Amino acid sequence: MIDLYTAAAPNGHKVSIAMEELTLPYTLKVLDLALALAALAGCDSRTPPLW
Protein backbone atom coordinates (compact mmCIF):
# COMPACT_ATOMS: atom_id res chain seq x y z
CA MET A 1 0.00 0.00 0.00
CA ILE A 2 1.19 3.50 -0.83
CA ASP A 3 1.06 6.38 1.66
CA LEU A 4 0.08 9.52 -0.27
CA TYR A 5 1.14 12.66 1.61
CA THR A 6 -0.58 15.70 0.13
CA ALA A 7 -2.01 19.10 0.93
CA ALA A 8 -5.21 20.59 -0.43
CA ALA A 9 -3.51 21.66 -3.65
CA PRO A 10 -4.07 20.92 -7.34
CA ASN A 11 -1.15 18.50 -7.70
CA GLY A 12 -2.34 16.47 -4.73
CA HIS A 13 -5.76 16.15 -6.30
CA LYS A 14 -4.22 15.07 -9.61
CA VAL A 15 -2.20 12.32 -7.97
CA SER A 16 -5.14 10.99 -5.99
CA ILE A 17 -7.27 10.91 -9.16
CA ALA A 18 -4.51 9.02 -10.98
CA MET A 19 -4.23 6.52 -8.12
CA GLU A 20 -8.00 5.91 -8.28
CA GLU A 21 -7.98 5.47 -12.06
CA LEU A 22 -5.06 3.03 -11.85
CA THR A 23 -6.84 1.18 -9.02
CA LEU A 24 -3.75 1.37 -6.84
CA PRO A 25 -4.33 0.94 -3.11
CA TYR A 26 -3.26 3.98 -1.11
CA THR A 27 -3.76 5.70 2.20
CA LEU A 28 -4.29 9.45 2.12
CA LYS A 29 -2.25 11.49 4.63
CA VAL A 30 -3.32 15.13 4.58
CA LEU A 31 -0.70 17.78 5.33
CA ASP A 32 -1.63 21.13 6.85
CA LEU A 33 0.72 23.65 5.24
CA ALA A 34 -0.67 26.54 7.28
CA LEU A 35 0.32 24.73 10.46
CA ALA A 36 3.80 24.05 9.08
CA LEU A 37 4.25 27.72 8.15
CA ALA A 38 3.12 28.80 11.61
CA ALA A 39 5.71 26.49 13.15
CA LEU A 40 8.41 27.92 10.91
CA ALA A 41 7.47 31.48 11.86
CA GLY A 42 8.66 30.75 15.39
CA CYS A 43 12.02 29.40 14.22
CA ASP A 44 15.26 31.29 14.55
CA SER A 45 16.59 32.59 11.23
CA ARG A 46 19.69 30.41 11.71
CA THR A 47 17.58 27.27 11.96
CA PRO A 48 17.15 25.48 8.60
CA PRO A 49 13.58 24.67 7.53
CA LEU A 50 12.20 21.22 8.33
CA TRP A 51 11.40 20.46 4.68
Side-chain angles (χ1 to χ4, degrees):
M1 173 150 321
I2 298 171
D3 290 331
L4 176 60
Y5 291 88
T6 185
N11 287 337
H13 293 295
K14 292 173 190 174
V15 173
S16 62
I17 290 170
M19 300 283 278
E20 290 288 333
E21 289 181 357
L22 295 170
T23 64
L24 295 173
Y26 69 97
T27 303
L28 184 62
K29 310 280 185 167
V30 180
L31 301 176
D32 187 357
L33 296 181
L35 183 62
L37 289 175
L40 285 177
C43 290
D44 189 342
S45 62
R46 294 171 288 163
T47 306
L50 300 175
W51 30 272

